[in-house]
Amino acid sequence: MNKNLKTKLVLSVAALIVLWIAALAQTPQFSLRSTDGRTINSTELRGKVVVLSFGGTWVPLASKELPALQKLADRYATRGVQVYWVSINSEKQGARTFATNEEVQAFAQKNNLRVPVLRDSEQQAYKAFGLDAVPTVVVLDRDGKVIRKHVGFGTEQGDSYSEIIRDLDQLLK
């Protein structure tokens, strides 16, 4: 292969990688319903720093995830960060992870969570973000780009809480 062709090939592959990385960083379009019936969609969140914590009532780490999420929400309440807990519990009766809006909201209250609770019962947003474990925290910048996807969450789980705080502080500068 001649040198000119090789250079063009390398540049083409590099350009594809850059485009692929940029596409991964973009927020998927999503629309989630809150347990009180409101709809939150990705376009209305543009211009805001957003934390989405995906989880479920059956998740063993929920007892650590939800208090840590509320602590995070309290810390940034006056700085405009939008924090949401996104339940991936099914809304189909008979499903293994079934829970009504009332049950999901009661679970959140039992764990002292006061942030808005959203439903992703068909796991469309969960899959669009490329997630495969719960709890997972997704941090979005003001342009809707994914800054961090962190599996596992709690104030005592290594550096996850600290990393998310660093990300949020950086985004708010």
Side-chain angles (χ1 to χ4, degrees):
M1 183 180 297
N2 71 36
K3 187 175 179 179
N4 202 16
L5 183 60
K6 201 182 257 188
T7 301
K8 285 181 181 179
L9 182 61
V10 168
L11 289 174
S12 295
V13 170
L16 286 173
I17 290 171
V18 167
L19 289 173
W20 178 70
I21 291 170
L24 287 177
Q26 294 298 317
T27 300
Q29 298 299 308
F30 63 87
S31 181
L32 300 168
R33 186 180 34 79
S34 68
T35 55
D36 63 5
R38 293 178 297 129
T39 299
I40 305 292
N41 63 58
S42 53
T43 54
E44 73 185 59
L45 294 174
R46 291 285 166 113
K48 301 172 185 165
V49 175
V50 178
V51 175
L52 300 168
S53 184
F54 288 82
T57 59
W58 75 94
V59 178
L61 288 176
S63 63
K64 294 186 186 297
E65 170 203 7
L66 298 184
L69 187 63
Q70 186 60 55
K71 185 175 177 182
L72 197 67
D74 292 345
R75 180 181 184 126
Y76 293 98
T78 61
R79 297 180 67 191
V81 175
Q82 302 291 303
V83 179
Y84 300 95
W85 184 57
V86 184
S87 167
I88 63 169
N89 283 84
S90 176
E91 291 185 81
K92 294 179 184 171
Q93 286 192 355
R96 184 177 55 83
T97 62
F98 170 76
T100 65
N101 282 341
E102 293 77 19
E103 290 168 331
V104 170
Q105 191 61 47
F107 180 80
Q109 289 172 345
K110 176 181 146 197
N111 285 282
N112 299 314
L113 186 66
R114 298 178 305 281
V115 303
V117 177
L118 307 176
R119 299 294 302 262
D120 188 20
S121 59
E122 298 294 321
Q123 299 184 13
Q124 291 174 344
Y126 179 82
K127 291 173 185 170
F129 279 109
L131 307 182
D132 62 4
V134 285
T136 296
V137 175
V138 178
V139 178
L140 309 175
D141 71 7
R142 288 184 175 99
D143 296 323
K145 292 181 182 146
V146 175
I147 300 304
R148 178 174 304 278
K149 289 190 257 185
H150 193 86
V151 177
F153 186 59
T155 55
E156 299 154 9
Q157 286 184 305
D159 294 326
S160 64
Y161 187 78
S162 299
E163 288 172 1
I164 292 168
I165 286 175
R166 278 193 299 275
D167 290 339
L168 292 174
D169 287 343
Q170 187 65 35
L171 291 171
L172 294 170
K173 286 184 178 181

